[in-house]
Amino acid sequence: MGALSSMFWALWYILPAYFANASPVLLGGGRPIDGGRKWRDGNRILGDGKTWRGFLGGVSVGTLVGVLQYYLTPAFYGSLKTAVLLAFLLSFGALMGDLVGSFIKRRLNLPRGYPAVGLDQLGFLISALAFAYPVKTISSGQMLFLLIFTPLVHWGANYFAYKMGWKSVPW
Ligand code: CTP
Ligand code: MG
Ligand code: K
């Protein structure tokens, strides 16, 4: 595989995780996952930025992206079942990683929405790659590419969401 094609397939592979991570900005709101409860340090367990609607909406959107991807490139997945399972695991993994990130941020006394460089951009990615690993994986070179490229996508997407008025901060 050439370098460009290798990068393309890495992005194609991870696409459900990107959609799952981004869509809660529009779909989220309502009851927070931690139910408003606090940890023993007095801070919220996760905070108001992690809601059930955002989580379930993100997993649904990411999984649907996988269905579309299967019809566009069936050979990449082999079967619809593989594509859907992969997209579900990438999406679920991304949002679980995002929850772990918020849990860590609250333990570090960082308020909701406060940026944590590294954690915000890569936590969801590493978790998505780990959850999806048993079903289908990519090469270590492709993973390295995603580790470098994803922060750029993350910053770009957040800046766009801020400019559109969907987010109050550009990160
Ligand atoms: N969101 C949600 N449910 C989730 C994840 C995100 O409703 N499970 C929504 C929230 O409105 C959140 C926005 O998407 O504010 C952006 O997500 P993110 O940047 O991950 O949350 P933050 O508000 O920055 O909170 P934290 O500091 O906990 O990361
Ligand atoms: Mg944030
Ligand atoms: K986040």
Side-chain angles (χ1 to χ4, degrees), residues 21 50 98 102 105 119-120 154:
N21 197 248
K50 305 295 123 146
D98 181 51
S102 291
K105 283 165 78 171
L119 205 53
D120 284 339
H154 191 270

Side-chain angles (χ1 to χ4, degrees), residues 15-100:
L15 200 64
Y18 285 178
F19 270 87
N21 197 248
S23 49
V25 175
L26 292 175
L27 303 175
R31 189 177 154 76
I33 292 172
D34 67 9
R37 284 185 293 271
K38 289 176 175 154
W39 192 249
R40 47 181 171 263
D41 56 13
N43 296 333
R44 286 284 294 279
I45 300 174
L46 299 172
D48 283 331
K50 305 295 123 146
T51 67
W52 285 110
R53 251 175 42 202
F55 192 94
L56 298 173
V59 171
S60 306
V61 168
T63 306
L64 277 174
V65 166
V67 175
L68 288 177
Q69 286 180 297
Y70 173 74
Y71 287 106
L72 291 169
T73 60
F76 183 67
Y77 300 101
S79 73
L80 178 60
K81 194 181 142 199
T82 302
V84 170
L85 185 61
L86 179 67
F88 171 79
L89 290 172
L90 285 167
S91 305
F92 186 78
L95 287 162
M96 286 302 290
D98 181 51
L99 293 187
V100 172

Side-chain angles (χ1 to χ4, degrees), residues 97 101 104-105 114-126 147 150-151 154-155:
I104 295 171
K105 283 165 78 171
Y114 198 86
V117 175
L119 205 53
D120 284 339
Q121 296 79 16
L122 297 177
F124 84 94
L125 172 68
I126 292 166
L147 285 172
T150 301
H154 191 270
W155 285 316

Side-chain angles (χ1 to χ4, degrees), residues 108-158:
L108 297 172
N109 275 322
L110 303 176
R112 172 201 175 173
Y114 198 86
V117 175
L119 205 53
D120 284 339
Q121 296 79 16
L122 297 177
F124 84 94
L125 172 68
I126 292 166
S127 176
L129 290 172
F131 272 77
Y133 190 82
V135 171
K136 183 175 170 68
T137 189
I138 48 177
S139 72
S140 47
Q142 285 175 308
M143 286 189 194
L144 184 63
F145 163 68
L146 289 180
L147 285 172
I148 296 163
F149 196 74
T150 301
L152 304 176
V153 177
H154 191 270
W155 285 316
N158 280 285

